[in-house]
Amino acid sequence: DIQMTQSPSTLSASVGDRVTISCRASQSISNWLAWYQQKPGKAPKLLIYKASSLESGVPSRFSGGGSGTEFTLTISSLQPDDFATYYCQQFNTYPLTFGGGTKVEIK
Amino acid sequence: EVQLVESGGGLVKPGGSLRLSCAASGFSFSDCSMAWVRQAPGKGLEWVSAISSSSRHIYHADSLKGRFTISRDNAKNSLYLQMNSLRAEDTAVYYCARLGLSPYCSTTSCPADYWGQGTLVIVSS
């Protein structure tokens, strides 16, 4: 199985900060990576697919990058609505696997 | 509007069975692969099962060891998860998710572009 490792697990930041979350795959997954945002008590929401493609309706302050085994999710200017937990997921190979999550907290 | 509504969760004793359902609307259900994803209390997301549009291809997480079975009824726009021999560690919110269509997809699978609100399964004596 492909292991997905996210870092950091928790991130404290302020409104307006630039934030970057990392995701590493245990083997190459090309660009078959998605990022999701989840708020407490809610279902996850797709933000990014194919590593860097922005899902329709997602603000442009979100961007994704990387390929192979190293990926990033960047929020260019953190907004109050962005405090949440973020997950990466590979969809290159079954079983599909998620990273452990990164909780973005208010500093 | 795409809607996915799960049902069938609840309290069940260890060793028991439960069948989850997901009613889909607002899109052509028979064209889409579907999946179940679960989340234990306070934990991260865990992919459970996926099924192709025609049910030809089915995948389950290895950790389930044959206890769970995914299925669908395209005539009823419904997705199911039969869960047997339930254990305390199966306690989680279970989400139904639609797997996106091209250009979202690899040759193998797709990210989940729509999710239901989840149904809670508690396995406890």
Side-chain angles (χ1 to χ4, degrees):
Chain A
D1 298 2
I2 298 175
Q3 308 302 318
M4 305 300 294
T5 304
Q6 281 183 242
S7 61
S9 56
T10 305
L11 189 159
S12 296
S14 301
V15 172
D17 284 353
R18 180 182 181 88
V19 165
T20 298
I21 299 168
S22 296
C23 178
R24 173 177 292 176
S26 61
Q27 64 189 73
S28 179
I29 58 170
S30 184
N31 65 339
W32 306 122
L33 183 99
W35 288 97
Y36 301 90
Q37 177 193 65
Q38 187 180 33
K39 296 180 179 178
K42 300 294 186 182
K45 173 188 174 182
L46 179 65
L47 298 177
I48 302 279
Y49 62 96
K50 285 203 290 189
S52 61
S53 296
L54 196 67
E55 172 70 336
S56 176
V58 174
S60 59
R61 62 181 179 271
F62 290 92
S63 63
S67 65
T69 61
E70 301 285 342
F71 302 89
T72 57
L73 173 69
T74 298
I75 309 172
S76 60
S77 178
L78 199 63
Q79 298 302 300
D81 191 49
D82 302 337
F83 292 96
T85 301
Y86 295 85
Y87 295 92
C88 61
Q89 181 212 18
Q90 65 83 16
F91 55 100
N92 179 71
T93 309
Y94 281 104
L96 308 182
T97 42
F98 290 92
T102 296
K103 184 176 183 180
V104 177
E105 298 181 327
I106 300 173
K107 191 172 184 179
Chain B
E1 178 191 7
V2 172
Q3 285 199 330
L4 299 169
V5 180
E6 302 95 336
S7 60
L11 176 64
V12 61
K13 289 181 169 53
S17 298
L18 212 54
R19 189 195 197 204
L20 305 183
S21 299
C22 173
S25 61
F27 66 100
S28 180
F29 181 75
S30 59
D31 287 339
C32 295
S33 295
M34 300 292 293
W36 290 98
V37 176
R38 71 182 181 181
Q39 186 169 37
K43 302 297 184 182
L45 301 172
E46 180 185 16
W47 173 78
V48 173
S49 301
I51 186 168
S52 63
S53 57
S54 64
S55 302
R56 180 176 181 181
H57 301 287
I58 288 176
Y59 306 92
H60 292 289
D62 295 340
S63 60
L64 298 177
K65 295 181 180 178
R67 297 184 297 118
F68 290 11
T69 303
I70 191 172
S71 63
R72 64 190 295 161
D73 185 336
N74 287 345
K76 294 182 178 180
N77 288 348
S78 293
L79 177 73
Y80 307 102
L81 186 68
Q82 178 67 44
M83 305 186 294
N84 299 328
S85 303
L86 284 161
R87 307 167 179 169
E89 55 264 36
D90 296 319
T91 294
V93 173
Y94 285 74
Y95 294 103
C96 163
R98 187 183 88 164
L99 301 185
L101 299 168
S102 179
Y104 289 77
C105 305
S106 71
T107 53
T108 303
S109 188
C110 314
D113 61 353
Y114 286 94
W115 299 65
Q117 83 288 351
T119 187
L120 177 61
V121 172
I122 300 173
V123 184
S124 175
S125 55

